[in-house]
PDB file of all heavy atoms in Angstrom:
ATOM      1  N   TYR A  17      -7.604  39.596 -69.586  1.00  0.00           N
ATOM      2  CA  TYR A  17      -7.969  41.013 -69.704  1.00  0.00           C
ATOM      3  C   TYR A  17      -7.950  41.456 -71.167  1.00  0.00           C
ATOM      4  O   TYR A  17      -8.839  42.193 -71.605  1.00  0.00           O
ATOM      5  CB  TYR A  17      -7.039  41.886 -68.857  1.00  0.00           C
ATOM      6  CG  TYR A  17      -7.520  43.310 -68.745  1.00  0.00           C
ATOM      7  CD1 TYR A  17      -8.644  43.623 -67.974  1.00  0.00           C
ATOM      8  CD2 TYR A  17      -6.878  44.349 -69.408  1.00  0.00           C
ATOM      9  CE1 TYR A  17      -9.099  44.914 -67.874  1.00  0.00           C
ATOM     10  CE2 TYR A  17      -7.330  45.651 -69.314  1.00  0.00           C
ATOM     11  CZ  TYR A  17      -8.442  45.929 -68.541  1.00  0.00           C
ATOM     12  OH  TYR A  17      -8.901  47.214 -68.455  1.00  0.00           O
ATOM     13  N   PHE A  20     -10.988  40.088 -72.839  1.00  0.00           N
ATOM     14  CA  PHE A  20     -12.126  40.900 -72.405  1.00  0.00           C
ATOM     15  C   PHE A  20     -12.168  42.222 -73.173  1.00  0.00           C
ATOM     16  O   PHE A  20     -13.233  42.655 -73.618  1.00  0.00           O
ATOM     17  CB  PHE A  20     -12.050  41.168 -70.888  1.00  0.00           C
ATOM     18  CG  PHE A  20     -12.999  42.235 -70.435  1.00  0.00           C
ATOM     19  CD1 PHE A  20     -14.354  41.973 -70.326  1.00  0.00           C
ATOM     20  CD2 PHE A  20     -12.535  43.505 -70.116  1.00  0.00           C
ATOM     21  CE1 PHE A  20     -15.233  42.963 -69.916  1.00  0.00           C
ATOM     22  CE2 PHE A  20     -13.408  44.496 -69.710  1.00  0.00           C
ATOM     23  CZ  PHE A  20     -14.766  44.224 -69.604  1.00  0.00           C
ATOM     24  N   ALA A  83      -7.789  56.402 -75.419  1.00  0.00           N
ATOM     25  CA  ALA A  83      -8.498  56.812 -74.202  1.00  0.00           C
ATOM     26  C   ALA A  83      -8.543  58.335 -74.093  1.00  0.00           C
ATOM     27  O   ALA A  83      -9.562  58.903 -73.679  1.00  0.00           O
ATOM     28  CB  ALA A  83      -7.834  56.210 -72.973  1.00  0.00           C
ATOM     29  N   THR A  86     -11.102  59.518 -76.611  1.00  0.00           N
ATOM     30  CA  THR A  86     -12.432  59.167 -76.104  1.00  0.00           C
ATOM     31  C   THR A  86     -12.845  60.109 -74.981  1.00  0.00           C
ATOM     32  O   THR A  86     -14.012  60.530 -74.910  1.00  0.00           O
ATOM     33  CB  THR A  86     -12.455  57.701 -75.623  1.00  0.00           C
ATOM     34  OG1 THR A  86     -12.107  56.855 -76.723  1.00  0.00           O
ATOM     35  CG2 THR A  86     -13.813  57.307 -75.084  1.00  0.00           C
ATOM     36  N   PHE A  87     -11.909  60.474 -74.116  1.00  0.00           N
ATOM     37  CA  PHE A  87     -12.179  61.420 -73.031  1.00  0.00           C
ATOM     38  C   PHE A  87     -12.687  62.745 -73.605  1.00  0.00           C
ATOM     39  O   PHE A  87     -13.695  63.289 -73.145  1.00  0.00           O
ATOM     40  CB  PHE A  87     -10.904  61.637 -72.203  1.00  0.00           C
ATOM     41  CG  PHE A  87     -11.020  62.695 -71.154  1.00  0.00           C
ATOM     42  CD1 PHE A  87     -11.716  62.460 -69.980  1.00  0.00           C
ATOM     43  CD2 PHE A  87     -10.435  63.939 -71.335  1.00  0.00           C
ATOM     44  CE1 PHE A  87     -11.821  63.438 -69.007  1.00  0.00           C
ATOM     45  CE2 PHE A  87     -10.535  64.926 -70.372  1.00  0.00           C
ATOM     46  CZ  PHE A  87     -11.241  64.673 -69.205  1.00  0.00           C
ATOM     47  N   ASN A  90     -16.162  62.289 -75.111  1.00  0.00           N
ATOM     48  CA  ASN A  90     -17.170  62.181 -74.050  1.00  0.00           C
ATOM     49  C   ASN A  90     -17.512  63.544 -73.459  1.00  0.00           C
ATOM     50  O   ASN A  90     -18.684  63.834 -73.192  1.00  0.00           O
ATOM     51  CB  ASN A  90     -16.703  61.229 -72.949  1.00  0.00           C
ATOM     52  CG  ASN A  90     -16.871  59.777 -73.343  1.00  0.00           C
ATOM     53  OD1 ASN A  90     -17.731  59.447 -74.144  1.00  0.00           O
ATOM     54  ND2 ASN A  90     -16.042  58.918 -72.785  1.00  0.00           N
ATOM     55  N   LEU A  91     -16.514  64.381 -73.259  1.00  0.00           N
ATOM     56  CA  LEU A  91     -16.790  65.730 -72.755  1.00  0.00           C
ATOM     57  C   LEU A  91     -17.573  66.542 -73.788  1.00  0.00           C
ATOM     58  O   LEU A  91     -18.498  67.286 -73.442  1.00  0.00           O
ATOM     59  CB  LEU A  91     -15.486  66.452 -72.404  1.00  0.00           C
ATOM     60  CG  LEU A  91     -14.739  65.942 -71.172  1.00  0.00           C
ATOM     61  CD1 LEU A  91     -13.437  66.708 -70.988  1.00  0.00           C
ATOM     62  CD2 LEU A  91     -15.606  66.052 -69.920  1.00  0.00           C
ATOM     63  N   ASN A  95     -21.046  64.308 -71.573  1.00  0.00           N
ATOM     64  CA  ASN A  95     -20.862  63.458 -70.389  1.00  0.00           C
ATOM     65  C   ASN A  95     -20.151  64.257 -69.302  1.00  0.00           C
ATOM     66  O   ASN A  95     -19.369  65.157 -69.583  1.00  0.00           O
ATOM     67  CB  ASN A  95     -20.038  62.211 -70.723  1.00  0.00           C
ATOM     68  CG  ASN A  95     -20.829  61.197 -71.512  1.00  0.00           C
ATOM     69  OD1 ASN A  95     -22.045  61.220 -71.530  1.00  0.00           O
ATOM     70  ND2 ASN A  95     -20.137  60.299 -72.183  1.00  0.00           N
ATOM     71  N   SER A  96     -20.394  63.892 -68.069  1.00  0.00           N
ATOM     72  CA  SER A  96     -19.750  64.583 -66.957  1.00  0.00           C
ATOM     73  C   SER A  96     -18.248  64.291 -66.944  1.00  0.00           C
ATOM     74  O   SER A  96     -17.786  63.298 -67.514  1.00  0.00           O
ATOM     75  CB  SER A  96     -20.361  64.135 -65.626  1.00  0.00           C
ATOM     76  OG  SER A  96     -20.017  62.783 -65.371  1.00  0.00           O
ATOM     77  N   ILE A  97     -17.518  65.162 -66.265  1.00  0.00           N
ATOM     78  CA  ILE A  97     -16.066  64.956 -66.145  1.00  0.00           C
ATOM     79  C   ILE A  97     -15.790  63.647 -65.424  1.00  0.00           C
ATOM     80  O   ILE A  97     -14.902  62.882 -65.828  1.00  0.00           O
ATOM     81  CB  ILE A  97     -15.398  66.143 -65.434  1.00  0.00           C
ATOM     82  CG1 ILE A  97     -15.460  67.372 -66.329  1.00  0.00           C
ATOM     83  CG2 ILE A  97     -13.951  65.818 -65.078  1.00  0.00           C
ATOM     84  CD1 ILE A  97     -14.915  68.627 -65.712  1.00  0.00           C
ATOM     85  N   ALA A  98     -16.557  63.355 -64.369  1.00  0.00           N
ATOM     86  CA  ALA A  98     -16.343  62.122 -63.603  1.00  0.00           C
ATOM     87  C   ALA A  98     -16.541  60.893 -64.483  1.00  0.00           C
ATOM     88  O   ALA A  98     -15.723  59.969 -64.468  1.00  0.00           O
ATOM     89  CB  ALA A  98     -17.288  62.080 -62.412  1.00  0.00           C
ATOM     90  N   MET A  99     -17.613  60.900 -65.269  1.00  0.00           N
ATOM     91  CA  MET A  99     -17.878  59.751 -66.131  1.00  0.00           C
ATOM     92  C   MET A  99     -16.817  59.644 -67.231  1.00  0.00           C
ATOM     93  O   MET A  99     -16.390  58.549 -67.590  1.00  0.00           O
ATOM     94  CB  MET A  99     -19.262  59.870 -66.759  1.00  0.00           C
ATOM     95  CG  MET A  99     -19.709  58.668 -67.509  1.00  0.00           C
ATOM     96  SD  MET A  99     -21.445  58.864 -67.927  1.00  0.00           S
ATOM     97  CE  MET A  99     -21.745  57.311 -68.712  1.00  0.00           C
ATOM     98  N   SER A 100     -16.384  60.791 -67.739  1.00  0.00           N
ATOM     99  CA  SER A 100     -15.356  60.793 -68.774  1.00  0.00           C
ATOM    100  C   SER A 100     -14.020  60.309 -68.228  1.00  0.00           C
ATOM    101  O   SER A 100     -13.279  59.607 -68.910  1.00  0.00           O
ATOM    102  CB  SER A 100     -15.208  62.199 -69.362  1.00  0.00           C
ATOM    103  OG  SER A 100     -16.417  62.610 -69.965  1.00  0.00           O
ATOM    104  N   LEU A 101     -13.701  60.677 -66.992  1.00  0.00           N
ATOM    105  CA  LEU A 101     -12.452  60.234 -66.361  1.00  0.00           C
ATOM    106  C   LEU A 101     -12.451  58.734 -66.106  1.00  0.00           C
ATOM    107  O   LEU A 101     -11.396  58.109 -66.067  1.00  0.00           O
ATOM    108  CB  LEU A 101     -12.214  60.973 -65.050  1.00  0.00           C
ATOM    109  CG  LEU A 101     -11.725  62.410 -65.174  1.00  0.00           C
ATOM    110  CD1 LEU A 101     -11.706  63.087 -63.813  1.00  0.00           C
ATOM    111  CD2 LEU A 101     -10.354  62.463 -65.809  1.00  0.00           C
ATOM    112  N   PHE A 102     -13.641  58.160 -65.931  1.00  0.00           N
ATOM    113  CA  PHE A 102     -13.748  56.723 -65.689  1.00  0.00           C
ATOM    114  C   PHE A 102     -13.093  55.937 -66.817  1.00  0.00           C
ATOM    115  O   PHE A 102     -12.451  54.909 -66.584  1.00  0.00           O
ATOM    116  CB  PHE A 102     -15.221  56.334 -65.528  1.00  0.00           C
ATOM    117  CG  PHE A 102     -15.433  54.899 -65.177  1.00  0.00           C
ATOM    118  CD1 PHE A 102     -15.095  54.422 -63.916  1.00  0.00           C
ATOM    119  CD2 PHE A 102     -15.961  54.010 -66.098  1.00  0.00           C
ATOM    120  CE1 PHE A 102     -15.282  53.094 -63.586  1.00  0.00           C
ATOM    121  CE2 PHE A 102     -16.150  52.684 -65.785  1.00  0.00           C
ATOM    122  CZ  PHE A 102     -15.815  52.226 -64.528  1.00  0.00           C
ATOM    123  N   GLY A 103     -13.214  56.426 -68.037  1.00  0.00           N
ATOM    124  CA  GLY A 103     -12.583  55.761 -69.175  1.00  0.00           C
ATOM    125  C   GLY A 103     -11.073  55.776 -69.096  1.00  0.00           C
ATOM    126  O   GLY A 103     -10.402  54.856 -69.564  1.00  0.00           O
ATOM    127  N   LEU A 104     -10.518  56.819 -68.512  1.00  0.00           N
ATOM    128  CA  LEU A 104      -9.066  56.896 -68.367  1.00  0.00           C
ATOM    129  C   LEU A 104      -8.547  55.907 -67.331  1.00  0.00           C
ATOM    130  O   LEU A 104      -7.386  55.519 -67.374  1.00  0.00           O
ATOM    131  CB  LEU A 104      -8.640  58.317 -68.001  1.00  0.00           C
ATOM    132  CG  LEU A 104      -8.881  59.382 -69.077  1.00  0.00           C
ATOM    133  CD1 LEU A 104      -8.470  60.748 -68.557  1.00  0.00           C
ATOM    134  CD2 LEU A 104      -8.153  59.049 -70.361  1.00  0.00           C
ATOM    135  N   ALA A 105      -9.403  55.494 -66.411  1.00  0.00           N
ATOM    136  CA  ALA A 105      -9.006  54.511 -65.411  1.00  0.00           C
ATOM    137  C   ALA A 105      -8.630  53.191 -66.071  1.00  0.00           C
ATOM    138  O   ALA A 105      -7.801  52.438 -65.552  1.00  0.00           O
ATOM    139  CB  ALA A 105     -10.119  54.303 -64.393  1.00  0.00           C
ATOM    140  N   GLY A 106      -9.215  52.931 -67.232  1.00  0.00           N
ATOM    141  CA  GLY A 106      -8.896  51.700 -67.964  1.00  0.00           C
ATOM    142  C   GLY A 106      -7.430  51.604 -68.335  1.00  0.00           C
ATOM    143  O   GLY A 106      -6.856  50.508 -68.364  1.00  0.00           O
ATOM    144  N   ILE A 107      -6.792  52.740 -68.596  1.00  0.00           N
ATOM    145  CA  ILE A 107      -5.365  52.737 -68.924  1.00  0.00           C
ATOM    146  C   ILE A 107      -4.550  52.338 -67.701  1.00  0.00           C
ATOM    147  O   ILE A 107      -3.591  51.570 -67.801  1.00  0.00           O
ATOM    148  CB  ILE A 107      -4.922  54.116 -69.459  1.00  0.00           C
ATOM    149  CG1 ILE A 107      -5.611  54.393 -70.788  1.00  0.00           C
ATOM    150  CG2 ILE A 107      -3.416  54.207 -69.621  1.00  0.00           C
ATOM    151  CD1 ILE A 107      -5.331  53.367 -71.863  1.00  0.00           C
ATOM    152  N   ALA A 108      -4.932  52.847 -66.537  1.00  0.00           N
ATOM    153  CA  ALA A 108      -4.232  52.488 -65.299  1.00  0.00           C
ATOM    154  C   ALA A 108      -4.396  50.991 -65.017  1.00  0.00           C
ATOM    155  O   ALA A 108      -3.436  50.310 -64.634  1.00  0.00           O
ATOM    156  CB  ALA A 108      -4.749  53.317 -64.131  1.00  0.00           C
ATOM    157  N   ILE A 109      -5.596  50.484 -65.229  1.00  0.00           N
ATOM    158  CA  ILE A 109      -5.843  49.050 -65.016  1.00  0.00           C
ATOM    159  C   ILE A 109      -5.019  48.232 -66.007  1.00  0.00           C
ATOM    160  O   ILE A 109      -4.380  47.245 -65.634  1.00  0.00           O
ATOM    161  CB  ILE A 109      -7.342  48.724 -65.139  1.00  0.00           C
ATOM    162  CG1 ILE A 109      -8.120  49.396 -64.008  1.00  0.00           C
ATOM    163  CG2 ILE A 109      -7.583  47.215 -65.166  1.00  0.00           C
ATOM    164  CD1 ILE A 109      -9.629  49.373 -64.193  1.00  0.00           C
TER     165      ILE A 109
END
Side-chain angles (χ1 to χ4, degrees):
Y17 190 71
F20 167 75
T86 301
F87 174 75
N90 282 333
L91 289 177
N95 286 341
S96 68
I97 291 176
M99 188 170 183
S100 298
L101 284 172
F102 184 71
L104 294 178
I107 294 301
I109 294 168

